[in-house]
Amino acid sequence: MLPPPPLLLLLPLVVTGTPEVTVTRPRGVALSQLPFYDPSGPFRCLDGSGSVAFAWVNDDYCDCQDGSDEPGTPACPNGRFHCTNAGHRPRSVPAAHVNDGVCDCCDGTDEWGSGACENTCRERGRQEREERLRSAARAREGFALRQRLVQEAAEAKREKESRLGALQAARRELQARLGPLRAAKEAAEGPEREARERHRPREPTQDEAGAAEAFAELDGDGDGRLTLEELRAHPELDGAEIEAALGSGGSVDSGTFRERLWGLVRERLRPQSPPEEEEEEEEPEEEEEEEEEDEEGPEQVPPVPPQEGEGPPQEEPQFDEATQALIDAAQRARDDLAAAERELKEAEDGIRALETELGMDFGPEGEFSYLYNQCWELSTSEYLYRLCPFQRVTQRPKNGGAETSLGLWGSWAGPEGDKFGAQKYEGGTGCWQGPARATTVSLRCGAGTALRAALEPSRCEYLLELETPAACRELPAGHEEHDEL
Amino acid sequence: MAAALGRWPLWLTLCLGASLAVDRGNFKSCEQSGFCRRQRRIQPGNSPYQALLESLQLGPDVATIQLVNEVTQVPLLLELWGLTGNVTRLRIQELSPLRPRYRVPDVLLGDPPAERLEVTGRDEGTLELSLGPGGHRLLVTERPFRLDLLRQRELLCSVNARGLLVFEHQRRRRDSDPPKDPPGEEGAAQEGPEDGAGSTQSDKPAEPPAEPEEEPGAWEETFKTHTDSKPYGPTSVGLDFSLPGFEHVYGIPEHAESLRLRPTEGGDPYRLYNLDVFQYEVFTPMALYGSVPLLLAHRPRLSLGIFWLNAAETWVDIGSNTAGKTLFGKLLDYMQGGGETPQTEVRWMSESGVIDVFLLLGPQPADVTAQYGRLTGTQALPPLFSLGYHQSRWNYQDEADVEAVERGFEEHELPLDVLWLDIEHADGKRYFTWDPAKFPNPRGMLERLAARKRRMVSIVDPHIKVDGGYRVHTELRARDLYVKTKDGNDYEGWCWPGSSAYPDFTNPEMREWWANMFAFDQYEGSTEALYTWNDMNEPSVFSGPEVTMHKDARHFGGWEHRELHNIYGLYVHKATAEGLIRRSGGRLRPFVLSRAFFAGSQRYGAVWTGDNTADWEHLRISIPMCLSFGLAGLAFCGADVGGFFQNPGPELQVRWYQAGAFQPFFRAHAHLDTARREPWLLSPEHLALVRAALRRRYALLPTWYTAFYHCHRQGIPVMRPLWMEFPDDPHTFAMDDQYLLDRVLLVHPVTEPGARGVNVYLPGEGEVWYNDETHEQHRAPQTLYVPVTLSTIPVFQRGGTVIPRQDRPRRSTEAMKGDPFTLYVALSPQGTAQGDLYVDDGISFDYATKNAFLHRHFHFANGTLTSSSADPRGSMSSPAWLERVVILGVGRPESALLTTHGERGLGGFGVLGWVFGILGWVLRGVLGF
């Protein structure tokens, strides 16, 4: 069946790619498809579903299921229009965009009927080439930086691994030492205890005098017995501990006071006791270190006893030489054990931190590792966003108010084939009638590292954009010069 | 957009918790609404009113008769009109009111022309009036007063047959201090309180009537923490209507209710009081955002309408003597001959105003809607683009977001006409401004959209931020155009921007000022591509009683808010539409979407069903809701596609797109707290189904536009209940899971999760229907089981019709301009079909002012398709042509001839060839028409 000839349009089109080359082909047909549009015979729909007179190609009436008979008109719902876009890049646009008054092709050929568009390909091409040059320059710069990052990451990794090895060796060694040190401590403390028991000071020490003085002061009615009521007259001594020490009798004489209560009340009555001050000043560096450690983990380091050779503690009574020697020996053993335990803990903390960091996936070449343990901020009109990569994302309103967690490190979350293009942070502060906040951080190539954008595309779902050289890829040689046609 | 309590103060939202349900405690039941409680306590019985027949005065148009309450001796004045086109109007007011009562202005198109009344009979206790040439007669019974309306010997409707006429006459406060009279300023509304008193032909005021027992709440009413000072005391009105033979009544939107109204005995009456109801539920008589006091009744061979023109809080009771009876019970009654005739009772109760009723006497369903259209106006003809797809969300955040969303539509080849911006776009919710950080260059954004043949809508709400640095506020305050409190200060309440004042849109000067704000140099950053959305215009007042304005607030002319609450939103809509017309120099049609509405709102644009929820119930209820809107004149109706609150699953989202594609106003919208749901966020499979639904919508736009033209001209809904076209088929009377688009397509959207099939009722004795996709023919009447997959939208074209389509999938309606048409000719069993096509420029008023349109009529018979002019007034040159004729119901015909009667101004025509193509055997050709 061959119906009557079409009433509309037959459109061989002259397309000028460059002024020198002239190719005649039906409108909207890509050069690669040209062999299928042979005017010498009937046109076979490209899907093979049918065949029509060639004059029916581009006659503004859809005959083929696949729309291939109307590449240059909007007649077919699923047709594609090819534009050459000389000076720029060729495109294939839906044929339904042909002659709709909107410029889809920079050469304007999609609007051949409406005439709505000028050919802007050269200008667009120039702009795009310039932009491509710029972005290629950026990418090259970024890629060079990235290579350095990769190198540094490798070095840092090696360094960390060797540090880890050293720490692990130290741990083994410390663990081996702990047993003997504990035994030595036990061994030294037995004789010390016995010696202390035996020992009686010949005359009241300075401390005993202080106790007597305090007893006299506290014994309000001067009857030689200190009662609960008398104690309660001193609010600074308030406390269950002290009351318990008073014992069931409810009152104590001066001797019992010295034995049982003086140790408890001494500091409260005389808060600026000089030995304490001295002790605090002794090792400031170590103190600071401990505080830092405390922030890191919940473990408490036992108080450090004063070290040997720095004078006996003031509160110690005077002992005879032999006793004192035993006490000193025990103290040394305790100190040695404590020092070893401390070293062990430090080593374990170090191992844990290193293992965590070394276990992180910092990209195929470790290029993202430099982001670890750093944070970046971005200020928008309303909020201050803070990203600590591989840790957390937070948001703080600028006009005051509490910080909100937008999520904790979850995983790499780039699309397939570009896993390292994005990161996911999850389990942030919960939303009203909604889920917990979560953030996607998309990574984009740049010469520096900076947060570039922060959005909340949907309630409680955030999107940050981090520029980093680590996200740069190597460009193929001559990339920026490449241009079709 | 946004229900009042969305993310707003904790002290209000606490009680809502995480569960998703309306908080009924925020809204009054009838028992909590003083006048409803008082009136409902009155049981049917002998009316205390008698008609003083000897007081009859017959004017040229109007008959007046005095009524008197035998208990209180207070006289009323009854006025009766027989209006042209089978409409009877009756109005009852006090003969000598203490103060004038509010008579709703700006709803009626004008004074409806009246027929001459005649007294045709009179005997003791009865008077018979003839109401013009329609053969309608009115019997006025003296004692107790009642009216019976007859057509020939058939009783259509009785008034006060149950004696429920209530008219709480105005009284003076019995305590020492009577309230001040309304201020009564100069230049008040057309029927302001100062010019009403004594304007009726009254005798001297009657003797001071006996005061009835005072009940608590009569002179002051408290609901929750809000006290209504009620300075004028109880002034409510009420009346009952008996509809013999009727079992089906419809209308009185807006309720989340089935199409057919249910009897209200044992529950609350249907309430009409425009309210911002947070997370509304379905199947309740609770009030919602809009009100149209028009009720329709239908039975075989007769349709009636009752239009109760009152803008105060109104409750409607529906009674039925067959309610609760099974079909078998009714049958038994019938066989035993002892059953009563089915009858529906309708009782209207309004807090204030006068009784002003229009009885629309049909007799066909389309006659009733036309009668209503002649009174209040028909649907404004929408600009063509507004029938395309609208993409909205609370909120597209900034210019980059807008750009990205529009690019999404491009990349995924989804058609789109309009992108919407909700409240966050404005600078601190100061409407008419743009957030300078997020929208620094709105004009550029609009121009980019317009370059791709698309448009934008921005929200402009009627609450104004109280802010000395905000021009709108300072000007309105300076011009004294805000609504006042009872004490005369500017009324302020809490809304989105915080403390807000409310422009008094009942004041013409206010509307004038508002309209001028839409001028391009006033609304900075606006262009011709920017249109408007009026939300929160009930008005919504977060801190007010029932989330709205205090009833004792004062409006222009001294009227209390209680008198006119339900029409406030219409005035906002009207002023905005006027503004959009004015900015184009009167040339271009406006597009304004409003959430609140009243009778007449159809003249100003589109409405939607407000803040619905992403669940299957709300998808289902969107059909009866829009059908009810359409019956009440509001043809341009839609529901938020996908559901406003919460997140729809992919199946629900796809089904909602499929349903929305076949509803008049087609907009996806979502709450701030929901996940993003632009179609490409679905799986590729679901996205493809959304694309298919959008393309079906766009292909049918010529049919939609033609349907809107019918509606605009004749007042007939675009989306119609089946019974409008099949009025004698009782099977269709309660159907609201399927409907007709115009008279040509039957649509039965799939609204059940996991559906494998739907039962579609195909009406029409001896008719045929064609599956819109497969073109398979089905005989009618029958209930057809249609197997469905997720891609199926069950749609059927009626045999005997011709529909025009534009099958090229363009990016927007404007990009389709000039595209050729395809006619789908679905043959009747007799081998004939007819239909029409309306075309104009889609945007201007030239169709009305210059007759620049084409209205073609197509007729197919005996193998000849004839195209002729359906309206010789219209002429326009159009680049469009006819590319294809698809004939459903034949194999390959021997021949077909297309003729155009050689009319002037038309393109050539020719004999078309038959080709076997994508659509089966079609006529292929190119010709003008």
Side-chain angles (χ1 to χ4, degrees), chain B residues 143-208:
Chain B
R143 183 183 303 209
F145 160 68
R146 69 179 273 167
L147 298 172
D148 293 282
L149 189 62
L150 297 92
R151 184 179 57 188
Q152 274 81 45
R153 306 251 44 105
E154 182 183 26
L155 179 60
L156 305 181
C157 172
S158 304
V159 180
N160 201 32
R162 291 192 299 154
L164 297 173
L165 168 60
V166 171
F167 208 110
E168 292 182 329
H169 62 278
Q170 300 177 74
R171 292 173 282 148
R172 297 201 188 280
R173 209 181 257 273
R174 274 199 291 188
D175 54 29
S176 50
D177 240 335
K180 284 177 292 201
D181 276 339
E185 294 140 12
E186 67 285 6
Q190 125 231 353
E191 296 176 3
E194 64 288 339
D195 64 7
S199 71
T200 49
Q201 342 129 336
S202 66
D203 300 327
K204 287 284 155 221
E207 290 303 298

Side-chain angles (χ1 to χ4, degrees), chain B residues 734-776:
Chain B
M735 241 172 229
D736 59 11
D737 54 354
Q738 57 180 54
Y739 59 93
L740 295 167
L741 166 52
D742 199 84
R743 56 181 278 276
V744 290
L745 291 177
L746 185 151
V747 186
H748 187 125
V750 181
T751 57
E752 295 289 337
R756 312 281 295 271
V758 292
N759 283 307
V760 178
Y761 180 68
L762 299 175
E765 193 63 46
E767 297 200 20
V768 292
W769 293 83
Y770 298 87
N771 184 305
D772 183 56
E773 280 182 302
T774 65
H775 296 175
E776 195 184 345

Side-chain angles (χ1 to χ4, degrees), chain A residues 3-257:
Chain A
L7 307 173
L8 245 205
L9 309 175
L10 111 127
L11 306 156
L13 170 65
V14 176
V15 177
T16 46
T18 56
E20 295 81 34
V21 187
T22 306
V23 185
T24 304
R25 46 177 148 152
R27 205 193 297 272
V29 174
L31 210 50
S32 59
Q33 303 277 308
L34 189 55
F36 302 110
Y37 293 83
D38 177 4
S40 63
F43 173 73
R44 274 191 75 76
C45 304
L46 295 189
D47 64 356
S49 62
S51 154
V52 296
F54 192 80
W56 285 23
V57 171
N58 278 343
D59 69 341
D60 209 12
Y61 186 91
C62 190
D63 295 290
C64 295
Q65 298 265 13
D66 66 351
S68 57
D69 64 313
E70 297 295 320
T73 81
C76 290
N78 47 356
R80 302 297 296 189
F81 178 87
H82 179 89
C83 36
T84 321
N85 289 347
H88 194 230
R89 233 172 319 115
R91 268 189 86 183
S92 163
V93 302
H97 290 183
V98 170
N99 290 338
D100 69 350
V102 180
C103 306
D104 292 282
C105 299
C106 63
D107 63 7
T109 51
D110 62 311
E111 292 302 312
W112 54 264
S114 71
C117 306
E118 289 173 9
N119 188 332
T120 60
C121 288
R122 281 181 198 290
E123 177 59 17
R124 290 269 299 272
R126 191 182 58 73
Q127 281 172 3
E128 196 174 294
R129 270 191 301 280
E130 282 167 8
E131 173 52 33
R132 214 182 296 156
L133 282 171
R134 277 195 298 275
S135 90
R138 269 200 307 276
R140 268 182 223 297
E141 190 187 347
F143 187 72
L145 288 168
R146 176 188 185 276
Q147 293 310 86
R148 214 154 70 214
L149 288 174
V150 168
Q151 217 174 354
E152 284 168 10
E155 280 161 22
K157 191 175 178 195
R158 272 195 300 281
E159 186 267 324
K160 280 175 185 140
E161 278 163 351
S162 82
R163 197 139 49 89
L164 180 61
L167 282 171
Q168 283 163 337
R171 178 171 63 182
R172 276 193 301 278
E173 192 253 335
L174 284 164
Q175 279 166 337
R177 274 172 52 203
L178 275 184
L181 282 173
R182 269 193 204 105
K185 171 174 164 278
E186 297 295 318
E189 279 180 336
E192 182 203 24
R193 225 173 4 252
E194 285 164 23
R196 278 181 188 270
E197 285 298 310
R198 279 196 310 274
H199 178 77
R200 286 285 180 277
R202 283 180 301 275
E203 53 193 62
T205 62
Q206 192 188 341
D207 196 48
E208 282 168 334
E213 196 184 314
F215 183 83
E217 188 187 321
L218 295 171
D219 182 14
D221 57 2
D223 67 347
R225 289 198 74 83
L226 184 59
T227 64
L228 185 60
E229 286 68 35
E230 284 164 345
L231 267 179
R232 282 185 177 160
H234 296 262
E236 70 271 27
L237 300 182
D238 191 27
E241 205 185 351
I242 290 171
E243 283 181 22
L246 206 54
S248 51
S251 67
V252 291
D253 63 14
S254 95
T256 321
F257 171 76

Side-chain angles (χ1 to χ4, degrees), chain B residues 552-606:
Chain B
D552 52 11
R554 294 288 180 152
H555 288 263
F556 177 66
W559 295 110
E560 280 193 289
H561 186 68
R562 94 180 67 249
E563 305 285 351
L564 49 80
H565 172 85
N566 283 347
I567 200 179
Y568 181 86
L570 174 144
Y571 278 127
V572 178
H573 202 183
K574 175 186 167 84
T576 304
E578 175 59 29
L580 295 192
I581 294 170
R582 198 172 290 183
R583 71 175 186 182
S584 73
R587 205 169 53 83
L588 302 179
R589 285 177 245 167
F591 171 76
V592 185
L593 176 72
S594 172
R595 191 170 70 183
F597 53 79
F598 189 64
S601 285
Q602 67 271 17
R603 305 194 298 260
Y604 308 114

Side-chain angles (χ1 to χ4, degrees), chain B residues 792-828:
Chain B
T792 315
I793 317 175
V795 176
F796 297 84
Q797 185 177 350
R798 188 175 183 179
T801 66
V802 177
I803 61 171
R805 292 175 39 153
Q806 281 175 304
D807 284 328
R808 301 182 173 192
R810 301 290 206 166
R811 54 178 22 118
S812 73
T813 53
E814 198 182 324
M816 294 165 71
K817 202 170 173 177
D819 272 356
F821 294 88
T822 296
L823 296 183
Y824 287 74
V825 179
L827 299 184
S828 68

